[in-house]
Amino acid sequence: MIDVVALGEVMLRFDPGEGRIRTARSFQVWEGGGEYNVVRGLRRCFGLRTAVVTALADNAVGRLVEDLILQGGVDTSLIRWVPADGTGRTARNGLNFVERGYGIRGALGVSDRAHTAVSQLRKGEVDWDAVFASGPRWFHTGGIFAGLSETTVDVADEAMAAARRHGVTVSYDPNHRPSIWADRGGADAAREVDLRLGRHADVVMGALGLVGPRPGDVRVRADEVPDALAEAAGRVPGASVLATTLREVPSAGVNDWSSAAWSPGTGFLTGPRMPGLHVLDRIGSGDAFAAGVIHGLLNGDDPWPGHPLTAARLERALAYGTAHGALAMTTPGDVSMATLTEVEALMAGGSAAVTR
């Protein structure tokens, strides 16, 4: 039985290591995708049984992505395989070139994802009632998948509504990517989609993405976070939890890292503060945070939902998310390589001393 299902695109990431994309002669490859990274972290770090709903073109590149997903332990039985025409005219697999950044040079992502198989998913093509009748406890999707095409928002809406009908907890991450929306209405269209899908969400990750007139319009200072989360809560009144990472970026290699959350029963809460965190690769850290929060809410002697959401439970979930996100930034690639032992040691104040 699957515990957590995600809906999203899984791309092949090309990583030039310490170099630049434009001068690279070799790349290491990983799999990655905003929604997928969450269930991958839940499987490999936290031991939950997870699956991803996505679509891949059935060629050697798609099978490489599948192989990487299998190595991550995520169930692949819900992948839709689309015939490949040999040139990618009708359907292809997404590629994502990412350099990590260093010092004053920030990270850079160059995606090549138009006309992918997953962007062509349509409402009615997935039997969501069958997916959720099989017993998953949680469903996660986000604004990256929803923004891929004119049809994917309908798929996300359909999936989230079906999950709610079956009593499955639903999380949504706005995860705004300007490049996805550049020729499709920009930030205004992205905000419309977030509000449409946010009405189905029990939990909103990256909730500061709902602040301001449009995504990215407002930079929220540390002292403004409580009011900002209250503003976001007003836009998604059905949500029970709003959570967010908090990051300051003195340089690409050193970040100040923390988190915060709000719920009607607990009010505003903050997570652990990790100033001066040394970063190898920040890509996917927000997804690792989401995975830790989901683990913290789902597991323990008083899991939520099913028990009241206490301040202690939500603070514990924030601690799992903050620690997991921090550790994800210490290794290359989108996906977490952290163990639960490492996460809990960091939560307990562990150091970077050698473990023998």
Side-chain angles (χ1 to χ4, degrees):
M1 183 184 295
I2 301 298
D3 295 306
V4 183
V5 175
L7 167 65
E9 181 170 44
V10 188
M11 296 192 293
L12 190 64
R13 170 176 167 176
F14 287 76
D15 183 350
E18 296 178 355
R20 306 295 306 270
I21 296 167
R22 64 187 183 187
T23 57
R25 298 299 179 266
S26 63
F27 294 88
Q28 189 165 12
V29 296
W30 319 87
E31 87 281 23
E35 297 84 8
Y36 163 79
N37 295 340
V38 175
V39 289
R40 209 279 194 177
L42 283 165
R43 178 68 189 95
R44 294 297 285 173
C45 180
F46 298 108
L48 277 71
R49 296 156 298 184
T50 64
V52 62
V53 179
T54 192
L56 294 169
D58 194 357
N59 57 22
V61 175
R63 293 297 173 177
L64 172 57
V65 174
E66 178 195 34
D67 190 66
L68 292 165
I69 295 171
L70 288 167
Q71 291 179 52
V74 176
D75 187 286
T76 60
S77 63
L78 299 177
I79 293 177
R80 292 177 58 84
W81 289 97
V82 176
D85 63 9
T87 62
R89 287 192 185 93
T90 58
R92 53 188 294 270
N93 298 299
L95 308 178
N96 193 25
F97 295 79
V98 181
E99 58 186 52
R100 303 171 197 167
Y102 185 82
I104 59 172
R105 175 172 57 85
L108 173 67
V110 181
S111 62
D112 182 13
R113 69 197 314 171
H115 311 298
T116 55
V118 71
S119 73
Q120 299 175 48
L121 274 180
R122 294 180 177 274
K123 183 177 179 180
E125 291 185 337
V126 177
D127 186 347
W128 293 109
D129 287 323
V131 170
F132 296 123
S134 64
R137 297 186 284 163
W138 198 289
F139 174 71
H140 178 74
T141 192
I144 295 178
F145 171 78
L148 291 178
S149 73
E150 299 299 334
T151 63
T152 50
V153 62
D154 294 329
V155 176
D157 195 310
E158 175 188 43
M160 296 171 81
R164 294 297 296 267
R165 286 198 307 272
H166 285 269
V168 176
T169 303
V170 176
S171 57
Y172 178 77
D173 187 338
N175 225 347
H176 180 58
R177 296 289 185 271
S179 59
I180 292 177
W181 294 96
D183 62 347
R184 296 181 44 247
D188 289 325
R191 174 56 56 81
E192 290 179 11
V193 165
D194 287 338
L195 296 182
R196 173 183 170 185
L197 298 181
R199 66 193 172 96
H200 297 301
D202 299 292
V203 179
V204 177
M205 305 292 183
L208 291 183
L210 298 179
V211 174
R214 305 184 308 166
D217 271 3
V218 176
R219 178 174 172 77
V220 179
R221 299 194 308 266
D223 62 334
E224 297 173 330
V225 174
D227 289 341
L229 285 181
E231 176 188 332
R235 293 196 165 116
V236 283
S240 300
V241 177
L242 279 71
T244 186
T245 60
L246 301 174
R247 185 197 304 267
E248 295 293 332
V249 187
S251 80
V254 179
N255 290 185
D256 297 332
W257 175 251
S258 187
S259 62
W262 175 92
S263 76
T266 66
F268 177 74
L269 298 170
T270 57
R273 293 183 66 253
M274 298 184 183
L277 181 70
H278 287 266
V279 175
L280 176 65
D281 185 344
R282 65 172 281 178
I283 306 301
S285 54
D287 306 323
F289 167 78
V293 170
I294 292 170
H295 167 78
L297 293 174
L298 273 181
N299 292 279
D301 296 332
D302 55 345
W304 179 89
H307 291 82
L309 181 58
T310 63
R313 162 66 62 181
L314 187 50
E315 286 175 338
R316 184 167 178 262
L318 280 177
Y320 270 112
T322 307
H324 189 222
L327 287 166
M329 286 187 274
T330 67
T331 53
D334 282 35
V335 296
S336 166
M337 299 182 187
T339 68
L340 180 57
T341 299
E342 291 170 337
V343 169
E344 292 184 335
L346 184 57
M347 290 167 62
S351 73
V354 175
T355 300
R356 300 183 190 275

